[in-house]
Amino acid sequence: MSTGTKIAWDDTVLPFQLDRSDMRGRVARLDGVLSGVLKQHDYPEAVEALVAEMALLTALIGQTIKLRWKLSLQVQTNGPVRMIATDYYGPSKEGEPARIRAYASFDREKVTKDLPFKQLGSGYFAILIDQGEGNTPYQGITPIAGESLSDCAAAYFAQSEQLPTKFNLSFGKSIEPGVGEHWRAGGIMLQHMPKASPFAQDGGTGEDGLLQAQDLVDGETEENWNRVNFHMQTVEELELIGPSVTPTTLLTRLFHEEKPRVYEPQRIEFGCTCSEDRVRQSLSIYSAKDIEKMTTEDGRVTADCQFCGANYDLDPKTVGFQAEK
């Protein structure tokens, strides 16, 4: 394994375009980001796998958002894993890394040894985009469907955006010399350019009539879509995860006939936006009586960040509505 390759491509998203077939996509590799996300919690392995998949989807989808914007992916279900939440923060400036954080809420006693996706019940998959102060956040929702979180994401793009979208993801525990066992993830996202996305009037062929990518392509567009997806399905798991095969080499192997063109990669790192000021702000709506109920036997008000595990220990006299006054 080449250390140089690992340093260059881990925790990055590489955008590309396939000129012959009028498609765009991204290749993502996550390593240290997943370590930062998962070490904060004692998740069962099935929950770790779901969080890893969700973080990878967030990186692939989030790469397209603008500077200082925030993308959030959420899953809410009635199953053993009740919620998964991820945030992607666009870079503050050109050339800076984006940041990702993630966590899951689950019932440990109900999590089984079944496949990770089976830990989700009925519910929804949502994408939210916050463009900053003064702008109304965008939200799109689709039901939990298919056999993976990537299927849910593809259904969202077909249903809400009429964009044919396909993911091929791989994630799991890796053992590397001098590093030890840890999670790695890699994947490819493909989308047909928007101008070739007709709306399917009579509903889709997916679960409960949901639109699928195949419902949005026909004629030459369908031929291109099927050909490129056929090539994408030939990729091996180790090629996706890396780090021995670079994303540029992978794209050449898979799509050399499609004339792939790559752009500047986006670096990703684990990062959280929590702070004592934000905690105080969130507590400012509570009355003195409410704060008293939150006060521990030791006479403190405490708060934990679900994303990064940070603990905040505050004097109850300094928080809440009355303190703000």
Side-chain angles (χ1 to χ4, degrees):
M1 178 179 64
S2 169
T3 303
T5 299
K6 179 179 177 63
I7 291 174
W9 291 111
D10 278 357
D11 299 320
T12 62
V13 181
L14 177 70
F16 66 89
Q17 185 165 318
L18 304 179
D19 288 338
R20 178 189 172 192
S21 48
D22 201 25
M23 295 186 198
R24 63 188 178 189
R26 272 86 76 192
V27 179
R29 296 267 174 82
L30 298 183
D31 183 272
V33 168
L34 288 184
S35 296
V37 165
L38 296 174
K39 73 180 182 181
Q40 311 298 329
H41 302 275
D42 179 23
Y43 291 138
E45 188 164 327
V47 179
E48 285 187 318
L50 288 169
V51 173
E53 182 179 10
M54 195 78 155
L56 183 56
L57 286 170
T58 304
L60 286 164
I61 298 170
Q63 185 274 331
T64 60
I65 70 172
K66 298 182 179 180
L67 295 176
R68 294 178 294 278
W69 284 17
K70 173 186 173 184
L71 170 91
S72 299
L73 268 58
Q74 292 184 10
V75 164
Q76 296 270 5
T77 87
N78 61 3
V81 177
R82 297 184 293 267
M83 179 179 70
I84 309 172
T86 63
D87 291 326
Y88 177 105
Y89 295 91
S92 299
K93 299 177 181 178
E94 292 285 355
E96 292 187 354
R99 292 173 294 155
I100 285 182
R101 64 180 189 172
Y103 84 96
S105 174
F106 63 99
D107 188 334
R108 189 177 295 273
E109 294 182 356
K110 293 183 180 179
V111 174
T112 68
K113 296 186 181 298
D114 209 337
L115 293 174
F117 193 68
K118 298 293 186 181
Q119 314 302 320
L120 306 177
S122 300
Y124 66 82
F125 176 95
I127 290 182
L128 303 92
I129 299 177
D130 185 348
Q131 302 174 33
E133 188 175 351
N135 295 288
T136 302
Y138 165 83
Q139 176 175 297
I141 296 177
T142 191
I144 298 292
E147 299 180 353
S148 65
L149 289 171
S150 61
D151 284 349
C152 296
Y156 160 80
F157 280 106
Q159 195 73 22
S160 298
E161 309 291 337
Q162 281 79 61
L163 281 176
T165 305
K166 184 70 174 179
F167 297 89
N168 194 337
L169 311 182
S170 182
F171 45 90
K173 290 185 176 180
S174 173
I175 299 177
E176 298 172 28
V179 179
E181 187 176 67
H182 64 290
W183 281 82
R184 285 185 61 86
I188 302 176
M189 176 182 180
L190 274 179
Q191 284 186 320
H192 213 292
M193 301 299 273
K195 65 180 181 181
S197 301
F199 180 71
Q201 295 285 348
D202 299 325
T205 58
E207 193 174 319
D208 295 326
L210 285 176
L211 290 173
Q212 298 190 105
Q214 203 65 33
D215 301 321
L216 303 172
V217 293
D218 58 10
E220 183 180 356
T221 299
E222 183 176 13
E223 292 179 9
N224 290 338
W225 180 253
N226 290 340
R227 182 183 67 254
V228 172
N229 275 277
F230 171 80
H231 290 307
M232 186 170 74
Q233 295 307 315
T234 65
V235 68
E236 298 179 1
E237 288 189 2
L238 289 178
E239 290 180 311
L240 285 175
I241 292 178
S244 56
V245 178
T246 69
T248 50
T249 300
L250 178 60
L251 290 175
T252 301
R253 285 186 186 180
L254 294 176
F255 307 125
H256 64 279
E257 294 181 355
E258 308 298 327
K259 300 179 181 178
R261 180 156 40 116
V262 300
Y263 300 93
E264 284 295 315
Q266 174 63 61
R267 292 182 294 124
I268 311 288
E269 62 182 29
F270 170 72
C272 192
T273 59
C274 72
S275 67
E276 184 173 318
D277 286 343
R278 288 177 180 268
V279 173
R280 289 184 180 279
Q281 184 178 3
S282 67
L283 293 173
S284 65
I285 63 173
Y286 294 102
S287 67
K289 185 175 291 185
D290 291 330
I291 295 298
E292 184 179 352
K293 293 178 182 178
M294 300 178 193
T295 303
T296 67
E297 294 180 358
D298 297 330
R300 308 294 292 177
V301 172
T302 62
D304 296 323
C305 177
Q306 297 283 3
F307 288 98
C308 71
N311 176 262
Y312 297 94
D313 188 321
L314 307 172
D315 182 343
K317 295 179 181 179
T318 67
V319 296
F321 179 75
Q322 296 300 320
E324 292 293 311
K325 292 294 185 181

